[in-house]
Amino acid sequence: MLVLGVSWLILAPLCLWLLLRGNGATRLGSVVALAGLEAATIWVNSTVQLPPAPAVAQPAAMTAPAARAAGHTAACATRLPAPERARPERREGELHALTLFWKAEPDECGTATVVLRRQSRGVRVWLHEGPVKHRSGHARTLPVSVADGVASTRVRLAPPLPGKGAFRAIDGRTGQPIAPR
């Protein structure tokens, strides 16, 4: 592996320089050398055996939310939660993130798919939990936190929304405003 890495570090820049500056034979030699490096890399990666993941024994009394917190996800039902509260996060006068809150279910999913559509001074929000059949190109799957019966997820806005002043979050399914938190 070390020899292959050093070969890439030395031969790749040399071959690229020869591809740009060399004659026909040196260009062909450079292409063959790069192809050989690539083939060797693929071969080495295919022969590497990763050790199996260690099995972790869990106590029988561990609840589903605690199991998710430990990194295990259970299958959850498909749900369309309605966001009840939204907390905008501003920095330097720009809105950088939006934290959404809704009532948690006993079998709350560890992730939620969120779609945001910007409007003049706010965003329309669609939430979905569970398996998604048709995923929008603007959809993001984000982790869900549960505390005191309330589920939440934080959605970063890229690029941030400029300006200060009034901000509105609207539930995309109902068209109703989401109360600020």
Side-chain angles (χ1 to χ4, degrees):
M1 285 280 258
L2 180 63
V3 172
L4 185 60
V6 171
S7 297
W8 269 110
L9 285 173
I10 295 170
L11 290 177
L14 177 65
C15 288
L16 290 175
W17 184 76
L18 289 173
L19 276 172
L20 295 174
R21 300 287 181 198
N23 60 21
T26 55
R27 287 181 180 174
L28 180 62
S30 296
V31 170
V32 170
L34 288 173
L37 283 173
E38 186 65 29
T41 303
I42 292 170
W43 178 76
V44 166
N45 284 337
S46 68
T47 60
V48 172
Q49 297 292 325
L50 296 177
V56 178
Q58 292 185 1
M62 185 177 268
T63 62
R68 269 198 304 280
H72 300 280
T73 57
C76 56
T78 299
R79 243 188 318 270
L80 302 173
E84 297 171 355
R85 302 255 181 228
R87 181 178 63 212
E89 297 178 27
R90 296 180 190 272
R91 193 170 54 237
E92 299 173 4
E94 294 181 324
L95 182 66
H96 283 264
L98 182 65
T99 303
L100 302 168
F101 301 89
W102 65 94
K103 182 178 180 261
E105 297 292 327
D107 61 339
E108 188 68 39
C109 291
T111 60
T113 302
V114 180
V115 176
L116 296 180
R117 300 270 188 221
R118 293 177 187 231
Q119 291 185 321
S120 59
R121 286 298 312 145
V123 293
R124 291 182 80 84
V125 178
W126 288 268
L127 279 174
H128 186 279
E129 290 182 334
V132 178
K133 292 182 182 175
H134 303 287
R135 184 181 166 117
S136 164
H138 300 285
R140 290 184 267 175
T141 302
L142 302 167
V144 172
S145 302
V146 178
D148 300 325
V150 176
S152 65
T153 190
R154 182 176 181 268
V155 185
R156 282 186 22 174
L157 300 174
L161 286 174
K164 297 180 182 179
F167 169 79
R168 293 183 2 181
I170 298 172
D171 186 349
R173 282 186 289 283
T174 64
Q176 298 295 318
I178 302 170
R181 183 172 187 174

